[in-house]
Amino acid sequence: LSRTPIVAHAYCRARLLTRARTPFTYKVGSFLKAMKSTGTFQWNAQQQGVILGCFYYGYVISLLPGTFLAEKFAGAKWILAIGIFGGSVCSLLTPLIATRLGYEYFVALRILQGLLQGPTSAVVFTLMGKWIPVKERSFLSTLVFNGTQFGTILTLSLSGILAEKWGWQSIFYGCFHLETSRHILTLTSF
């Protein structure tokens, strides 16, 4: 009996619990579909489920400690910087790790990326609470979190074009540049 439904259930549960909105999940999902059609990787359904879910294992583990550190110490900006930049570096390394080092290292990379990006959304709330004037919070909060949705739409739209023209690896290289740009904009905002 396959454990894929259990992994999928854990993945969906982690997704709901953390309310994570990251384009990385969609990138990996399209990455796995592309690999299945080209046959580059010979991963079964259970392994694919683990790859999709393990990001959220790391995410859930680091969510509360990262938020606690951001609120108790003056390091919210640095926690956000490390989370975003570290996650984008993991995105850059994804094709290399998946093709050269294999499944186990790829799973470890995904967990590391989840650990790095876990506290980012909560830290953004902390920073907005400290820096945005009370009368402007609702409007600016809406802009910040709609920007996340816009990033997802942009990533999904560009992923197909990038994969078709330059191969599946270009999705991760392109997203590295988008995430690094977002990183710079975020740090200059607060």
Side-chain angles (χ1 to χ4, degrees):
L1 219 212
S2 173
R3 287 196 261 160
T4 304
I6 294 170
V7 172
H9 175 71
Y11 164 74
C12 291
R13 197 169 159 89
R15 180 94 170 127
L16 290 172
L17 287 174
T18 61
R19 296 180 180 217
R21 296 180 187 104
T22 175
F24 193 78
T25 304
Y26 304 112
K27 288 188 294 190
V28 171
S30 57
F31 160 71
L32 290 175
K33 285 180 188 173
M35 294 308 96
K36 193 171 186 179
S37 64
T38 61
T40 303
F41 300 109
Q42 302 302 319
W43 294 330
N44 61 35
Q46 181 179 356
Q47 290 173 316
Q48 291 178 23
V50 169
I51 291 169
L52 287 171
C54 64
F55 171 87
Y56 292 102
Y57 299 145
Y59 192 98
V60 169
I61 290 168
S62 67
L63 180 65
L64 291 176
T67 306
F68 175 77
L69 289 172
E71 288 180 358
K72 293 294 178 191
F73 305 106
K77 190 173 180 180
W78 285 107
I79 292 172
L80 184 64
I82 291 167
I84 293 173
F85 188 70
S88 63
V89 169
C90 288
S91 181
L92 180 68
L93 294 174
T94 294
L96 177 72
I97 300 291
T99 57
R100 302 244 169 103
L101 298 179
Y103 172 76
E104 292 82 10
Y105 289 97
F106 185 43
V107 167
L109 179 71
R110 298 270 297 139
I111 292 171
L112 174 65
Q113 188 168 29
L115 287 169
L116 289 167
Q117 292 184 344
T120 55
S121 59
V123 169
V124 168
F125 280 115
T126 301
L127 289 171
M128 288 190 311
K130 288 181 181 177
W131 291 98
I132 298 175
V134 176
K135 290 185 179 184
E136 297 175 13
R137 278 190 195 154
S138 61
F139 175 72
L140 292 175
S141 301
T142 303
L143 286 180
V144 167
F145 290 105
N146 279 332
T148 303
Q149 300 305 319
F150 177 73
T152 301
I153 292 167
L154 182 66
T155 302
L156 288 173
S157 301
L158 293 177
S159 292
I161 296 167
L162 290 172
E164 188 176 319
K165 288 193 176 227
W166 295 291
W168 64 267
Q169 299 93 337
S170 64
I171 297 170
F172 295 92
Y173 301 141
C175 287
F176 169 76
H177 294 295
L178 286 174
E179 291 168 2
T180 304
S181 301
R182 180 180 77 147
H183 174 68
I184 292 168
L185 287 173
T186 302
L187 286 180
T188 57
S189 300
F190 292 108

